[in-house]
Amino acid sequence: MVEEDLKFLVYVSSAVRLFSHEELVELLRLSRINNARLGVTGMLLYDRGNFIQVMEGHGTNVGKLYEKIRADPRHKQVTTLLQGPLEKRQFETFTMGFDTSADLSVEDRAAYTNFLREPLEPSRFGEKPHEALRLLLSFRRNARGGSGHSSDY
């Protein structure tokens, strides 16, 4: 089945303050409810106070969700890296996949060393916005269902 008006958007932002584990869990819980209602899929990575997220879905819904994120006082430096039309969802089984570099095992951290050497700050992706999407897709490919790590729990 081909979805009409399917769009994607990748952004980075910095948290105004660091999120606790409990705050991240609540953010994910609410995001998954809202995303399921809107038909939006994607993945969120959190590293040292910075977020990187890809959202995909009907263009209007992705736009509304992004405007809500941009207005959220918990974010600053919300920066659009990539956006455009999409033929097929890349995160179709994730209402909101999630990972945090703090949860990576030693083996996984070694595998992501090139990506995680520098913080996920908005300025990092200015000249290489596709690196952000490669990072998200890499975490998706290595998602371990049911473990809570990189999963849609």
Side-chain angles (χ1 to χ4, degrees):
M1 178 174 130
V2 175
E3 293 184 76
E4 297 291 322
D5 189 35
L6 193 58
K7 306 274 191 226
F8 81 100
L9 186 141
V10 179
Y11 77 90
V12 290
S13 69
S14 296
V16 173
R17 62 175 179 74
L18 295 178
F19 276 60
S20 69
H21 176 75
E22 293 77 19
E23 289 171 318
L24 287 170
V25 168
E26 181 63 9
L27 174 69
L28 289 169
R29 186 185 73 75
L30 294 174
S31 294
R32 289 179 174 144
I33 291 168
N34 291 331
N35 289 359
R37 183 177 48 80
L38 293 171
V40 171
T41 55
M43 178 168 264
L44 175 70
L45 300 179
Y46 178 78
D47 179 59
R48 295 173 271 184
N50 296 296
F51 292 99
I52 181 170
Q53 182 174 4
V54 60
M55 300 180 286
E56 52 189 23
H58 187 274
T60 303
N61 292 344
V62 169
K64 285 179 184 176
L65 184 56
Y66 188 51
E67 288 308 311
K68 184 177 176 181
I69 290 166
R70 290 176 59 89
D72 188 324
R74 296 174 292 184
H75 293 269
K76 62 182 180 182
Q77 295 178 291
V78 180
T79 305
T80 306
L81 298 177
L82 298 166
Q83 63 181 329
L86 191 62
E87 289 184 28
K88 181 182 183 307
R89 291 178 189 255
Q90 300 297 306
F91 297 87
E92 63 190 344
T93 61
F94 294 87
T95 54
M96 180 49 63
F98 172 74
D99 210 330
T100 174
S101 64
D103 293 337
L104 290 176
S105 68
V106 172
E107 297 83 22
D108 288 340
R109 184 165 286 284
Y112 293 112
T113 296
N114 288 338
F115 286 122
L116 298 176
R117 185 172 293 133
E118 301 172 43
L120 298 177
E121 294 172 347
S123 61
R124 172 182 174 188
F125 298 101
E127 295 182 23
K128 302 178 280 184
H130 285 84
E131 182 181 311
L133 186 55
R134 282 197 339 259
L135 174 62
L136 290 157
L137 289 167
S138 178
F139 272 87
R140 183 209 62 194
R141 277 190 303 276
N142 293 301
R144 288 176 262 172
S147 70
H149 172 77
S150 295
S151 68
D152 193 29
Y153 59 88

